[in-house]
Amino acid sequence: MHLVKPLGFEITDKYLKRAGLDYWDKLQIEIHESLQEFLREYSPEKNIMYFSTTKGKNCYSDVNYTKSEEIFLLFGKETKGLPEDLLQKYIENTIRIPMREHLRSLNLSNSVAIVAYEVFRQVGFEKLEQISSYFDEKESTTKQ
């Protein structure tokens, strides 16, 4: 996960737990001082990037995310999104989540979850637990 400052939240246990990031310690995190710094280090010309925006040219679920082992999904601030000039420059790689007419957008965490899980789905939920052990545990406790 790459976080770009200024952040809309603080990186402390108290704030992260409230934001739902109980698994913070399981992530590999890079923090960048600015979007320009991030784009210099991970150039869109050298990396596959998708820019999530309500103005996106492509529906997020119509994109083939299996073209590369590593892709970047960029999301802007909840209040104003990604910079307009960035979206225009990479318009072919903009994605959007369909919304009802006259509604602004989903909140950031929901948007990230929707798009990220589409990527996971397309790669067969690789590295994710796909079968619940619940029923195995249930059967072993009822047999005792």
Side-chain angles (χ1 to χ4, degrees), residues 2-141:
H2 295 264
L3 297 175
V4 177
K5 290 183 177 179
L7 303 175
F9 54 91
E10 292 186 38
I11 304 177
T12 65
D13 287 337
K14 174 185 169 188
Y15 290 100
L16 292 175
K17 286 186 190 232
R18 189 167 3 128
L21 289 174
D22 298 341
Y23 307 109
W24 189 255
D25 61 326
K26 312 279 187 280
L27 296 173
Q28 292 178 341
I29 300 167
E30 282 187 43
I31 299 176
H32 305 274
E33 292 300 316
S34 68
L35 182 58
Q36 292 73 25
E37 177 192 297
F38 169 80
L39 293 171
R40 271 193 305 273
E41 191 168 340
Y42 297 96
S43 165
E45 284 74 27
K46 295 179 183 173
N47 295 280
I48 296 176
M49 290 188 186
Y50 296 97
F51 304 85
S52 184
T53 172
T54 57
K55 305 168 190 118
K57 184 171 184 172
N58 306 291
C59 179
Y60 80 98
S61 58
D62 292 339
V63 173
N64 179 355
Y65 299 103
T66 64
K67 297 177 195 170
S68 174
E69 199 169 297
E70 181 175 81
I71 64 168
F72 289 87
L73 303 172
L74 277 71
F75 297 84
K77 292 180 182 181
E78 197 159 5
T79 53
K80 58 184 180 178
L82 292 165
E84 191 72 30
D85 60 332
L86 184 67
L87 298 176
Q88 288 301 316
K89 186 172 182 179
Y90 300 105
I91 194 71
E92 294 302 319
N93 283 23
T94 58
I95 58 174
R96 64 179 170 73
I97 297 169
M99 293 291 300
R100 290 184 66 186
E101 193 175 354
H102 306 298
L103 295 181
R104 206 165 55 94
S105 65
L106 297 172
N107 74 28
L108 182 58
S109 64
N110 288 336
S111 297
V112 171
I114 289 168
V115 177
Y117 267 82
E118 175 61 18
V119 175
F120 287 135
R121 186 193 68 77
Q122 287 189 22
V123 298
F125 297 108
E126 190 176 295
K127 299 181 184 174
L128 297 180
E129 184 180 283
Q130 295 185 45
I131 300 172
S132 171
S133 60
Y134 171 80
F135 294 102
D136 293 338
E137 293 168 7
K138 225 27 178 164
E139 287 174 14
S140 67
T141 57

